[in-house]
Amino acid sequence: MEEAKSILLKLKKETNCSLSIEELEILSNKLGRAPSKLEIYVFDTVWSEHCSYKSSRIFLKIFSNHKNPDVWVGIGEDAGIIKLGVVNNKEWGLVVGHESHNHPSQVVPYEGAATGIGGIVRDVYCMGADVIGVLDSLRFGDISEQSLEIINGVVDGIAGYANPLGIANLGGDTFLHPDYNDNCLVNVVALGIVEKDRIIHSYVPKESTVEPYVLILVGKATDSSGFGGASFASVVLDNEEAQKGAVQVPDPFLKRILTIANRACFDLIFIEKINAGFKDLGAGGILGASSEICGKGGKGADIYLDNIELAEKNLPPEVILTAETQERYIWAVPERHAQKLLNIYNKDYELGRMYEGACARTIGKVRNDDKYIVIHEGKEVLNLPVSILTEGITLNRQVTSRREKVCKPKRKQLDIAKALEMILNSPNIESKRVLFEGYDQEVGGRAVLRPGEADAGVIRPFPDSRIGIAVAIDGNPFYGIENPYLAGALAALESIHNVAATGALPIAITDCLNFGNPEDPVVLYDFSESIRGIKDTCEEIGYKFNKHVPLPVISGNVSFYNQSKQGNSIPPSPIVACYGILDDFNNAVSMGFKNPESSIILIGERYEELGGSIFRELYYGCSWGEIPIPRWRQERKILCNLHKFIKKKQILSAHDISKGGLLLAALEMAFTGKLGLEIDTSKIKSEMGLDVILFSESSGFLLEVDKRNTSSIINSFEELDIFAGVIGKVIDEERLLLYNNEQVLLDTKLKQKRINWEKGWKKYIC
Amino acid sequence: MLNKLPVFVVIFPGTNCEIETALAVEAVGLEARLFRWNENPKQLKKAGGIILPGGFSYQDRIRAGAVAAKEEIMESVSRLSEKGVPVLGICNGAQILLETGLVPGLKPGKIDLALGRNKMAGRSRYICRWIFMKVNHKNKSPFLNNIKRSDYFPLPIAHAEGKFTGKNKKTLKEIKDKELIAFRYGSNDVNEEDNNPNGSWENCSGLTNKNGNILAMMPHPERAIWFYQIPLNITRIMKNESKDIRKEDLSLLPGPGFNIMSGFKNF
């Protein structure tokens, strides 16, 4: 035994792999012998946290029990697909993928963020879809020289990839917090649309049993970039310089050509009724994609490394197999049709002329047995059952509940003007308009409500239909620090609120779960709690607000090891995107005030829930305390009733109350509409002080409503036992008048405040 | 005549606005056909009009539009334009037209102007924003006939290199004197940044050739075919528009881009 162990130790050292000795022992047992060096490289990739979800798998199971016929593709393929509706007599679905590219963005921000976009759009494209939008959720450290470099690199990287590719930016959110100093987060979402009949799955179709199938690799010539990328994402960031080689190199120009060439291939296989499998190359490169596309179809493969176009000479087999060279896809198609696809890429779209070494080539065959065989320089270098490559590994790690922090601040005298000034000057509150102007929000011509115009981005995906899609992404790190369960629940709930505020019905969510080191039992406990929170929100709110059908989670990603060598972990950061559907995009509600003299209605009582609030963080310098809790029964009633009145076209504008609380929500509506407002705090239901009324982030909505409609709306909410009341009105000049009965609390001009807020991020972007 | 022939929308490697551009052509009642850069250029003879859409052709290598300008297909475009076929270049398409010299086209084959990197206060980078512009009513191009002459109208821009610029003062004067400027940025609001978002010479946002059958413009009309596509903060400052315009059915109300696209019908 000891001898076997010492062999493994030696191999581990020689290959510098990140698998533990225990994992290498599991591997030896499975193989019935010591692994070869190549096998260690292979399993270092497929058993990485990134590829195998080995620590998270047992927790993620709770998402898999959702049975919903409108979910066409759930978790397990490159992207999830949910039914949208019928357009021109054809059924269409929404395709979504959600990923993180955190480590790479910390090390080389531009390339890291750009390949993040590159990877997620590939996941959606390869389902046969057209990608129509991206979102980004970003978390950075406090403003410093280092964080500004990362911020600028990430923002430019997102723009530098999505703009040339021609994908519109539909929104996102950005938070700064010192706990992200060593680990920024770059979470990205891509949305696409696909006809149901034209969905292409990421596995070899069953027809491969009756006729020979081949594997075609398309795209950039394979190089060594991104070698070790999957395992790099699965360890604590250590030596940043040394890890730069594990980051991939983006090329949106080549991707654009591949995209239109793919479209021609999709047409071909649809018209000629060819059954095919298609998959993007992401983590694990050729190895990951070829073993999965075959293995998930119950097949094996012969892979000929000598047929692969290489950008560098003499690459060893482990590099060819697992490097994560960008801009590549793999097809599994019947041999008799292969030449037609090769011609589309190589002749019609001249891949080789566009980019040195880019091409489509046949690189292997689909086998009818379970063997995955790799041939290099004419010799068999790998021969394994495909199942051992694809089934991954599951670890049962320890979980320990966290210790609660206690630092109760003394109550301070409230100076509203001062508090407001602090909040408005916070980079977490200032408008992100400057960032959005660097992204193409218009390309595709689908934009209806852009980032900043409403709580969610709204697009019109089909020129021949009035269907609208609303999408928002959320997650509050201040809540993560206080309570991981509530952070998960509230991230999901806020994304739902944002979508609902436009009038859309939520149809699905996706999540990205960003955490520290899962080998730390407390981190893993936080992780499990956040998942439970997301699940509870989905079940309580329901698919299209139907309480009997949970809102499905159709895609997601886990990112662990967001922890520096010094042990500084990020706050538990569950980030959730919600997708909603509108019957008519033209009825979508935005957030800016529209008409002077219309009423401002508050929906939802204010509670003593200042914990994790921006107010407490800035005014007290400590965010400890009770954070908002979801009041499920009320929540569904509020959302359904709001939806009813938006459909009746009685809501002029709507905004959910979240970070910053009620006063900031009202100001954002005023700033966006370039109007002013009066608010009477005596009209707000709360047993608490003014700080709670104005700044508590308890969930709720502010609505702008025409005077003649106010009473019917308020009565309707009151009948449901929900607090609703007129708390003020919109005024024509840019001014805030805050009073309590007769007593003026604050009277201030807003124009300059608005300009400062709009341009706030200019000082950070160079 | 044009009404019977399709408008060809040319796809270069890196073009990314072809689909919505073709939809915009169809929206004004014309037929659109997508045409790949390496298809047989003889096919172009069937074109009643040609559009070079937006994007990043050849990755903006050398300069935006410079490589595409040298493609064989551009020789055919040039020959057809001499015969009077209308040609519209939008954004990257405009950059290609300037790089071939077709616009302003004072002397055949001579490149008189370039589209340089945006120059703005504080920072100079890619920018996506709605701007206002006005038609130069002294330019007699049929492309401009359907646009209301007196008002500023909004369109979105999305570019890093949109500053019309030239070195030769005599040439610039000639372009100005011959009224080849088609559009100028500007608005009723005296906010300098918004009035000229990229530092363009003469606030120019679009330019034609002498015959008026070739129009190169940086803003994107195909993204503003319908009124609902205009952001709310922009509709609010447009003249003669109701403030709760969102409440009406706007999905069929034409937007400012419609009248530019329908200009093809005037040839």
Side-chain angles (χ1 to χ4, degrees):
Chain A
M1 273 313 275
E2 279 310 301
E3 193 191 342
K5 197 168 181 171
S6 75
I7 290 171
L8 291 179
L9 271 170
K10 190 163 163 266
L11 278 166
K12 179 171 160 66
K13 214 174 159 189
E14 281 172 12
T15 54
N16 196 22
C17 77
S18 46
L19 294 175
S20 67
I21 279 295
E22 292 72 30
E23 287 165 336
L24 287 172
E25 281 174 340
I26 295 171
L27 177 59
S28 295
N29 288 337
K30 282 202 176 209
L31 297 173
R33 59 177 164 79
S36 70
K37 268 194 210 170
L38 178 59
E39 283 167 341
I40 291 190
Y41 284 116
V42 163
F43 282 93
D44 196 23
T45 300
V46 297
W47 282 7
S48 65
E49 192 66 59
H50 189 68
C51 290
S52 73
Y53 291 82
K54 59 190 170 190
S55 308
S56 58
R57 203 185 280 196
I58 52 170
F59 301 102
L60 293 172
K61 276 186 188 150
I62 62 167
F63 287 146
S64 61
N65 56 5
H66 294 158
K67 287 264 184 296
N68 181 335
D70 289 350
V71 177
W72 294 344
V73 175
I75 293 171
E77 288 198 53
D78 289 302
I81 309 183
I82 183 103
K83 178 181 165 179
L84 272 179
V86 177
V87 180
N88 290 340
N89 297 320
K90 287 177 179 130
E91 274 201 290
W92 285 79
L94 175 70
V95 190
V96 290
H98 194 155
E99 269 264 10
S100 63
H101 228 215
N102 303 337
H103 280 44
S105 302
Q106 178 76 20
V107 179
V108 263
Y110 184 97
E111 287 79 3
T115 49
I117 297 285
I120 199 63
V121 297
R122 237 173 12 250
D123 280 334
V124 173
Y125 276 132
C126 75
M127 306 303 294
D130 248 340
V131 178
I132 57 172
V134 291
L135 291 93
D136 51 272
S137 183
L138 311 175
R139 305 288 180 266
F140 303 109
D142 268 347
I143 294 293
S144 69
E145 208 175 307
Q146 189 206 10
S147 75
L148 283 176
E149 203 176 299
I150 295 175
I151 289 169
N152 278 279
V154 164
V155 171
D156 287 347
I158 292 169
Y161 201 97
N163 294 353
L165 191 57
I167 309 293
N169 193 293
L170 307 183
D173 70 341
T174 305
F175 265 109
L176 306 186
H177 191 283
D179 289 352
Y180 297 110
N181 282 347
D182 297 324
N183 286 279
C184 71
L185 299 185
V186 175
N187 284 198
V188 287
V189 162
L191 283 79
I193 45 174
V194 71
E195 231 182 275
K196 193 175 189 184
D197 293 343
R198 296 181 59 145
I199 294 172
I200 303 172
H201 291 283
S202 37
Y203 48 79
V204 176
K206 57 183 185 307
E207 287 75 11
S208 60
T209 312
V210 292
E211 73 166 303
Y213 267 61
V214 292
L215 298 171
I216 295 175
L217 181 67
V218 186
K220 205 165 165 181
T222 300
D223 55 26
S224 59
S225 66
F227 176 57
S231 35
F232 162 59
S234 312
V235 290
V236 169
L237 267 184
D238 181 0
N239 180 345
E240 291 193 3
E241 273 309 309
Q243 288 170 330
K244 282 186 182 172
V247 181
Q248 311 86 341
V249 183
D251 199 299
F253 170 66
L254 178 58
K255 175 76 120 292
R256 179 69 202 170
I257 299 165
L258 284 172
T259 300
I260 54 172
N262 287 346
R263 210 185 278 155
C265 292
F266 297 159
D267 288 345
L268 174 86
I269 67 162
F270 180 70
I271 291 161
E272 300 206 5
K273 297 193 166 61
I274 301 169
N275 292 298
F278 190 48
K279 190 171 171 58
D280 84 301
L281 271 75
I286 292 169
L287 170 83
S290 61
S291 63
E292 280 186 33
I293 198 170
C294 294
K296 284 196 176 150
K299 303 284 169 164
D302 287 331
I303 305 290
Y304 302 97
L305 297 189
D306 306 324
N307 285 14
I308 292 167
E309 182 74 26
L310 299 179
E312 304 164 33
K313 277 184 186 163
N314 300 328
L315 289 179
E318 64 269 20
V319 175
I320 304 175
L321 267 178
T322 67
E324 295 177 6
T325 307
Q326 290 291 285
E327 327 310 355
R328 296 182 301 170
Y329 293 94
I330 193 164
W331 280 101
V333 291
E335 193 168 14
R336 65 192 162 102
H337 293 298
Q339 195 57 44
K340 292 179 210 161
L341 270 85
L342 295 174
N343 285 348
I344 288 177
Y345 291 108
N346 297 330
K347 294 207 171 127
D348 294 353
Y349 288 89
E350 303 183 88
L351 283 191
R353 198 184 133 227
M354 295 306 140
Y355 203 96
E356 201 181 339
C359 62
R361 279 221 195 158
T362 304
I363 64 148
K365 286 183 196 152
V366 175
R367 293 177 65 98
N368 266 328
D369 60 15
D370 180 40
K371 283 183 178 148
Y372 183 85
I373 295 173
V374 177
I375 293 149
H376 182 237
E377 293 173 352
K379 281 190 289 246
E380 183 179 300
V381 290
L382 197 73
N383 183 341
L384 291 166
V386 72
S387 52
I388 193 177
L389 290 168
T390 54
E391 74 194 6
I393 177 173
T394 305
L395 299 178
N396 216 334
R397 296 198 197 270
Q398 274 202 327
V399 170
T400 312
S401 89
R402 52 154 66 190
R403 285 191 304 277
E404 298 299 333
K405 280 192 284 185
V406 181
C407 84
K408 195 161 187 172
K410 267 193 191 149
R411 206 168 188 114
K412 276 192 197 173
Q413 181 73 30
L414 176 65
D415 177 340
I416 298 174
K418 186 178 157 205
L420 186 59
E421 200 63 27
M422 288 172 110
I423 290 173
L424 285 175
N425 288 331
S426 157
N428 284 334
I429 294 301
E430 287 168 317
S431 163
K432 308 299 181 293
R433 183 183 137 173
V434 179
L435 303 187
F436 287 122
E437 284 192 339
Y439 307 142
D440 196 338
Q441 305 150 44
E442 306 287 342
V443 62
R446 300 181 187 90
V448 177
L449 294 173
R450 295 150 190 81
E453 282 194 85
D455 281 5
V458 177
I459 50 172
R460 179 192 193 181
F462 309 104
D464 300 332
S465 158
R466 300 178 78 98
I467 288 177
I469 296 173
V471 57
I473 188 163
D474 291 285
N476 187 328
F478 294 99
Y479 297 167
I481 292 165
E482 299 302 325
N483 185 321
Y485 168 79
L486 289 175
L490 293 170
L493 192 59
E494 196 189 337
S495 70
I496 292 166
H497 276 184
N498 284 331
V499 160
T502 67
L505 289 170
I507 53 172
I509 67 155
T510 58
D511 60 5
C512 185
L513 304 158
N514 308 273
F515 287 80
N517 184 342
E519 295 156 45
D520 176 345
V522 176
V523 168
L524 206 55
Y525 170 80
D526 287 354
F527 173 79
S528 69
E529 282 291 285
S530 286
I531 294 178
R532 196 166 64 82
I534 293 171
K535 179 180 180 264
D536 283 356
T537 293
C538 288
E539 288 179 356
E540 296 288 347
I541 300 299
Y543 174 64
K544 297 185 177 178
F545 302 138
N546 177 347
K547 66 178 170 188
H548 303 297
V549 184
L551 187 58
V553 182
I554 60 171
S555 184
N557 174 244
V558 176
S559 171
F560 279 134
Y561 296 97
N562 293 293
Q563 187 154 337
S564 67
K565 196 77 178 167
Q566 292 76 37
N568 302 325
S569 173
I570 61 161
S573 304
I575 292 175
V576 178
C578 179
Y579 311 87
I581 188 166
L582 291 137
D583 293 343
D584 187 344
F585 69 91
N586 205 42
N587 293 345
V589 173
S590 62
M591 73 184 233
F593 285 144
K594 312 270 178 320
N595 297 338
E597 294 305 313
S598 51
S599 307
I600 301 171
I601 295 182
L602 167 69
I603 309 288
E605 208 172 315
R606 303 292 88 203
Y607 299 95
E608 164 85 63
E609 294 173 330
L610 283 170
S613 68
I614 295 278
F615 166 75
R616 189 161 276 173
E617 172 74 16
L618 295 171
Y619 200 73
Y620 285 85
C622 159
S623 67
W624 181 86
E626 298 296 325
I627 69 173
I629 54 164
R631 294 169 175 84
W632 300 122
R633 265 164 46 82
Q634 290 186 27
E635 282 294 345
R636 267 200 54 254
K637 285 194 219 162
I638 291 175
L639 290 165
C640 290
N641 217 33
L642 174 62
H643 184 75
K644 186 176 93 188
F645 284 104
I646 291 178
K647 268 204 127 164
K648 283 186 178 170
K649 301 191 186 185
Q650 291 188 3
I651 310 295
L652 293 171
S653 43
H655 191 22
D656 89 313
I657 297 172
S658 60
K659 59 180 192 284
L662 180 145
L663 182 57
L664 186 74
L667 281 176
E668 285 172 344
M669 296 174 88
F671 288 165
T672 308
K674 294 186 184 169
L675 290 169
L677 70 166
E678 290 179 12
I679 290 181
D680 180 356
T681 58
S682 71
K683 300 279 167 54
I684 298 169
K685 185 178 173 189
S686 174
E687 288 153 15
M688 306 298 157
L690 260 183
D691 51 353
V692 170
I693 288 173
L694 297 176
F695 301 114
S696 172
E697 299 176 4
S698 307
S699 96
F701 288 91
L702 287 181
L703 310 176
E704 181 194 3
V705 172
D706 195 280
K707 267 185 188 160
R708 65 200 147 102
N709 293 327
T710 51
S711 57
S712 67
I713 292 175
I714 286 170
N715 290 342
S716 166
F717 276 99
E718 281 176 347
E719 275 168 27
L720 297 167
D721 220 8
I722 305 287
F723 171 76
V726 175
I727 61 162
K729 65 173 187 180
V730 179
I731 58 175
D732 211 359
E733 67 177 311
E734 291 194 71
R735 174 182 167 201
L736 164 68
L737 181 63
L738 191 66
Y739 58 96
N740 185 339
N741 278 326
E742 301 289 290
Q743 180 205 358
V744 174
L745 300 170
L746 186 67
D747 182 357
T748 179
K749 292 209 166 92
L750 291 181
K751 188 170 177 186
Q752 195 53 47
K753 284 188 166 60
R754 167 177 61 79
I755 292 170
N756 293 345
W757 173 80
E758 278 173 357
K759 302 199 168 167
W761 268 68
K762 256 193 170 169
K763 53 187 174 287
Y764 309 125
I765 297 297
C766 34
Chain B
M1 160 135 166
L2 175 63
N3 288 335
K4 302 229 168 65
L5 292 173
V7 173
F8 277 44
V9 178
V10 179
I11 304 172
F12 289 101
T15 296
N16 65 20
C17 302
E18 69 272 18
I19 302 288
E20 59 269 37
T21 304
L23 283 171
V25 170
E26 286 167 3
V28 301
L30 296 170
E31 191 192 335
R33 195 192 138 182
L34 296 175
F35 191 79
R36 204 174 60 239
W37 70 91
N38 57 1
E39 287 185 62
N40 186 350
K42 282 182 187 158
Q43 297 273 330
L44 268 186
K45 283 185 190 150
K46 295 178 195 156
I50 297 168
I51 302 183
L52 311 181
F56 289 69
S57 63
Y58 289 97
Q59 212 167 16
D60 287 353
R61 289 172 192 165
I62 309 174
R63 276 187 316 279
V67 181
K70 305 288 180 237
E71 283 277 3
E72 201 187 331
I73 188 178
M74 287 311 295
E75 289 169 26
S76 307
V77 171
S78 169
R79 271 198 303 276
L80 288 166
S81 71
E82 282 165 25
K83 291 181 185 160
V85 172
V87 179
L88 171 62
I90 303 166
C91 199
N92 188 235
Q95 292 162 338
I96 296 169
L97 287 175
L98 263 70
E99 289 290 338
T100 54
L102 287 174
V103 173
L106 297 176
K107 284 185 200 120
K110 192 163 170 284
I111 299 169
D112 293 311
L113 284 184
L115 281 157
R117 286 201 72 78
N118 296 347
K119 195 166 172 10
M120 346 171 191
R123 74 214 156 85
S124 294
R125 59 203 288 263
Y126 173 96
I127 186 162
C128 175
R129 178 189 286 170
W130 282 72
I131 47 78
F132 281 88
M133 56 197 242
K134 199 174 193 171
V135 71
N136 171 19
H137 61 88
K138 289 181 184 156
N139 184 317
K140 299 299 177 202
S141 166
F143 267 120
L144 312 178
N145 282 357
N146 306 351
I147 306 163
K148 248 208 220 158
R149 303 242 151 190
S150 54
D151 283 350
Y152 287 103
F153 62 92
L155 281 184
I157 55 166
H159 59 246
E161 296 169 20
K163 183 183 68 166
F164 281 89
T165 182
K167 275 189 182 156
N168 188 330
K169 286 202 175 123
K170 242 176 86 183
T171 313
L172 291 176
K173 189 172 179 298
E174 193 182 344
I175 294 167
K176 203 177 153 192
D177 290 349
K178 289 191 168 151
E179 302 293 354
L180 300 186
I181 292 174
F183 306 110
R184 285 189 170 89
Y185 297 115
S187 77
N188 297 321
D189 187 352
V190 265
N191 181 336
E192 208 180 316
E193 184 189 58
D194 291 323
N195 283 352
N196 188 341
N198 55 23
S200 204
W201 164 72
E202 278 288 312
N203 293 338
C204 177
S205 62
L207 199 67
T208 64
N209 63 343
K210 279 181 292 182
N211 289 338
N213 68 323
I214 313 180
L215 170 61
M217 59 187 296
M218 288 311 294
H220 286 268
E222 82 282 10
R223 301 177 181 186
I225 292 297
W226 306 109
F227 197 89
Y228 76 83
Q229 293 177 298
I230 307 171
L232 294 168
N233 59 349
I234 299 293
T235 50
R236 288 176 56 89
I237 42 180
M238 288 171 72
K239 275 194 278 178
N240 312 325
E241 305 293 354
S242 141
K243 277 193 173 176
D244 46 311
I245 196 128
R246 277 279 160 190
K247 296 193 74 184
E248 286 142 42
D249 183 358
L250 302 179
S251 56
L252 296 171
L253 188 64
F258 192 99
N259 296 334
I260 294 175
M261 281 295 173
S262 68
F264 272 107
K265 291 179 167 180
N266 302 334
F267 287 89

